[in-house]
Amino acid sequence: PARVTEGRTRGRCAHSPAGRDAHFQPHQPAMASTRAVLQVFEKYQKDRVTFVQTVAELATRPQNIEPMQSAGVMALLRPLLLDNVPSIQQSAAIALGRLANYSDHLAEAVVSNEILPQLVYSLSEQNRFYKQAAAFVLRAVAKHSPPLAQAVVDSGALDSLVQCLEEFDPGVKESAAWALGYIAGHNAELAGCVVEAGAVPLLVLCVQEPELSLKRIAASSLSDIAKHSPEMAQAVVDAGAVAYLAPLILSPDAKLKRQVCAALGQVAKHSVDLAEVVVEAEIFPSILMCLKDVDGFVRKHAATAIREVCKHTPELAQLVVSNGGVAALVDYVDESEGNNRLPGVMALGYISAFSETLATAVIASKGIAPLFASLVEEPEDHVKSASAWSLGQIGRHTPNHAKAIADAGVLAKLVAVGSLPSSSEDLRTKCVRALRFVIEKLTDLAALDRTLQERGLPHEVVKFVVHQISKVLPNDPKGRHDFVTSGGLAAVQSLEAAAGTQLKEHVDVIKSCYPEEIVQYYSPAYPAQLLEKLEVGA
């Protein structure tokens, strides 16, 4: 019985918890050791994740940038781009992109730390999220200056970015298109590199995608390529871009319309042929509706595109006029201010410059008043200069055109603005030229008389006014009377006209229109001569 009991006890003990613990006891230290090792690696991974996510978050606030740079953040982030955890790679790239985006100094640090080759390598290897982040870094570096954009090109990024344009994911395409646009935007040489890499046809395909944000970025990048030279614009045209961009003028999305109008303007500006390509895509009259858009940038870019079309030839200017473009531009100038006003002001000037018929269309659409308002109201000299130039183009054709300018009170304001000490040299030159253009056609003696007697009239303009009066006065009997009573004859005789000069000849012609007694009576020396006679008589 004792043996049986012992056996039972042994059997029971073998299957009891105590028995099992005794059986496995030799393996416990190995399991604990493995767990402890894994915990170290897990903690390391969690700390890396926490680090890159925190750095990426801190990089969104400008006040954190300098301390992070001082702490050597670039050197710490660089190895994490090659981390075996995708989320860490992605967060590291985002952090680098935000840092590089902050300043050109930090972008140069990205280049000097040899981070670009790693990014380019990863662009073709990693998932879509990392590709977006890597393209963001390349964009952030390239945007600052041509040398930094060249560094991105030299790293071999163009081919990888162009391949990203063929990705299925629209986010990857968008990031790549954005980076390519920043590279191309700096100069013609970099834009040529982008074109040679085969980006343009793929950007045109991106314009046709359904995603609005992708359409916007692709249109913007095409604009950045086309703006530099006729050759770059031709590359955009040859890829069929204009045919796909033009219908988007009617898009309900304001940001897309901005980029589309800008791109069409950048293509049209270079030559007559390119402008005709844009016109043949039937942008008129649709683009005129954009001049009334609620978005200010849409209005400005639409006005710029119209200006770039109508500046080339009388035929293109006539096309704008025939589609109701003048009235739309006049309203645009009237309702805009500042730099937004400038393209509309210049467009009206280009249209008016080509022929008296086109200038008449501007006058008939009441275009002088808003141009005059722009000359008077705008604080910036370059806008005033454009306004003076456009007014001169309207008045340069015939006496009727010149009279319309004079009747609006423009001549006096041109004199006043041109004589201000604060006016720039360019503004003064534009005012003098506009005065000359108008005065040389003006036959309204009263207007010429008023201009002659304006204070601050530049000496070079005085010659034109006196010359024009000398041509008009002999054929205007009534005007001769008014010219005397207004003080015009006295003003002419008070001019310092040296013998043998053209000015003296013109003054003599004017004096010859009157009897000697009247000429003498209104001469500056006449009061002194009377006093001398009085003294002699006494």
Side-chain angles (χ1 to χ4, degrees):
R3 283 197 300 272
V4 171
T5 305
E6 186 183 350
R8 286 174 182 169
T9 303
R10 277 202 304 268
R12 192 167 55 246
C13 287
H15 296 285
S16 68
R20 285 198 300 274
D21 287 348
H23 183 71
F24 290 109
Q25 202 166 6
H27 300 287
Q28 272 188 328
M31 290 180 63
S33 175
T34 304
R35 194 178 302 116
V37 170
L38 290 175
Q39 283 176 346
V40 171
F41 281 91
E42 285 172 8
K43 185 174 186 306
Y44 176 53
Q45 180 168 322
K46 285 178 183 176
D47 288 346
R48 296 200 317 279
V49 170
T50 303
F51 174 74
V52 290
Q53 288 180 346
T54 306
V55 168
E57 176 61 28
L58 289 171
T60 60
R61 292 185 285 276
Q63 66 268 25
N64 298 330
I65 301 296
E66 291 299 330
M68 288 167 65
Q69 188 186 7
S70 302
V73 69
M74 292 286 180
L76 295 170
L77 287 171
R78 183 188 173 200
L80 296 177
L81 289 172
L82 299 176
D83 199 278
N84 60 347
V85 179
S87 64
I88 293 175
Q89 294 179 348
Q90 185 185 341
S91 295
I94 290 170
L96 282 167
R98 287 173 180 169
L99 290 166
N101 198 48
Y102 179 72
S103 73
D104 56 351
H105 180 61
L106 286 163
E108 286 165 5
V110 171
V111 174
S112 62
N113 278 278
E114 298 183 351
I115 290 169
L116 295 181
Q118 291 183 17
L119 290 167
V120 172
Y121 171 75
S122 302
L123 269 175
S124 57
E125 298 291 326
Q126 298 296 336
N127 63 38
R128 61 195 174 99
F129 300 109
Y130 183 82
K131 287 179 178 179
Q132 280 183 253
F136 168 54
V137 181
L138 295 171
R139 177 182 100 216
V141 172
K143 81 171 196 176
H144 293 288
S145 67
L148 284 168
Q150 188 64 55
V152 172
V153 172
D154 293 342
S155 71
L158 286 183
D159 290 338
S160 298
L161 288 169
V162 169
Q163 286 174 10
C164 287
L165 291 178
E166 299 183 84
E167 289 277 333
F168 177 75
D169 184 72
V172 175
K173 291 181 185 176
E174 184 181 326
S175 294
W178 210 341
L180 289 166
Y182 271 120
I183 293 168
H186 287 294
N187 57 45
E189 184 180 352
L190 286 165
C193 294
V194 172
V195 170
E196 287 170 14
V200 175
L202 294 171
L203 288 170
V204 174
L205 287 174
C206 289
V207 169
Q208 301 169 58
E209 294 284 349
E211 290 81 13
L212 275 176
S213 58
L214 180 55
K215 284 178 183 285
R216 291 176 200 147
I217 301 301
S220 174
S221 297
L222 290 168
S223 177
D224 284 330
I225 292 168
K227 71 183 182 182
H228 295 292
S229 67
E231 292 76 22
M232 294 297 101
Q234 191 64 54
V236 171
V237 168
D238 290 345
V242 173
Y244 292 105
L245 288 169
L248 297 176
I249 289 171
L250 299 173
S251 168
D253 182 71
K255 290 180 180 177
L256 177 57
K257 282 191 284 190
R258 290 179 196 172
Q259 303 302 338
V260 167
C261 290
L264 292 171
Q266 297 292 8
V267 170
K269 75 179 185 181
H270 293 291
S271 69
V272 177
D273 291 340
L274 288 166
E276 287 176 347
V277 169
V278 171
V279 168
E280 285 164 7
E282 299 181 354
I283 64 167
F284 291 101
S286 304
I287 200 167
L288 299 177
M289 288 161 32
C290 293
L291 294 176
K292 290 286 187 182
D293 198 273
V294 293
D295 185 275
F297 288 106
V298 172
R299 296 197 299 272
K300 181 182 179 182
H301 290 319
T304 303
I306 294 166
R307 177 192 71 191
E308 302 300 0
V309 167
C310 70
K311 74 180 184 180
H312 290 290
T313 64
E315 292 75 22
L316 287 169
Q318 182 62 59
L319 178 77
V320 173
V321 173
S322 300
N323 279 280
V326 170
L329 286 167
V330 168
D331 288 344
Y332 172 76
V333 173
D334 192 36
E335 294 162 5
S336 303
E337 58 184 25
N339 280 325
N340 288 353
R341 216 172 201 172
L342 188 59
V345 168
M346 293 184 70
L348 290 174
Y350 282 128
I351 290 169
S352 302
F354 283 117
S355 72
E356 61 183 80
T357 305
L358 292 170
T360 301
V362 174
I363 295 170
S365 296
K366 298 181 172 58
I368 294 175
L371 291 172
F372 181 54
S374 177
L375 177 68
V376 173
E377 297 166 4
E378 288 300 331
E380 297 288 337
D381 277 7
H382 66 279
V383 183
K384 287 180 179 287
S385 295
S387 306
W389 173 78
S390 294
L391 288 163
Q393 300 308 310
I394 293 171
R396 69 184 296 177
H397 296 286
T398 68
N400 289 335
H401 292 83
K403 189 174 187 305
I405 292 291
D407 289 348
V410 172
L411 298 181
K413 197 63 189 178
L414 286 170
V415 172
V417 170
S419 61
L420 284 173
S422 59
S423 295
S424 67
E425 191 61 36
D426 179 62
L427 176 55
R428 291 178 188 176
T429 302
K430 293 287 196 306
C431 287
V432 168
R433 284 181 183 169
L435 283 165
R436 178 182 176 181
F437 287 152
V438 176
I439 288 164
E440 285 180 343
K441 293 294 181 181
L442 189 60
T443 57
D444 183 351
L445 192 58
L448 290 166
D449 186 5
R450 287 195 300 272
T451 305
L452 178 65
Q453 298 188 58
E454 284 290 338
R455 294 180 62 186
L457 187 67
H459 180 70
E460 59 265 43
V461 178
V462 170
K463 290 190 297 183
F464 303 131
V465 177
V466 174
H467 183 206
Q468 194 66 13
I469 291 172
S470 72
K471 291 195 292 185
V472 173
L473 198 63
N475 304 310
D476 188 350
K478 183 180 183 302
R480 288 200 289 272
H481 174 272
D482 295 339
F483 189 65
V484 171
T485 57
S486 69
L489 181 60
V492 165
Q493 293 194 82
S494 66
L495 295 173
E496 295 179 4
T501 61
Q502 285 188 330
L503 180 59
K504 182 71 168 73
E505 291 176 14
H506 303 326
V507 170
D508 289 344
V509 170
I510 292 169
K511 287 162 65 176
S512 69
C513 296
Y514 295 97
E516 183 62 34
E517 298 84 353
I518 291 178
V519 172
Q520 187 177 2
Y521 182 79
Y522 286 99
S523 67
Y526 185 64
Q529 291 171 0
L530 284 179
L531 285 172
E532 283 178 18
K533 287 182 180 180
L534 185 62
E535 289 171 2
V536 170

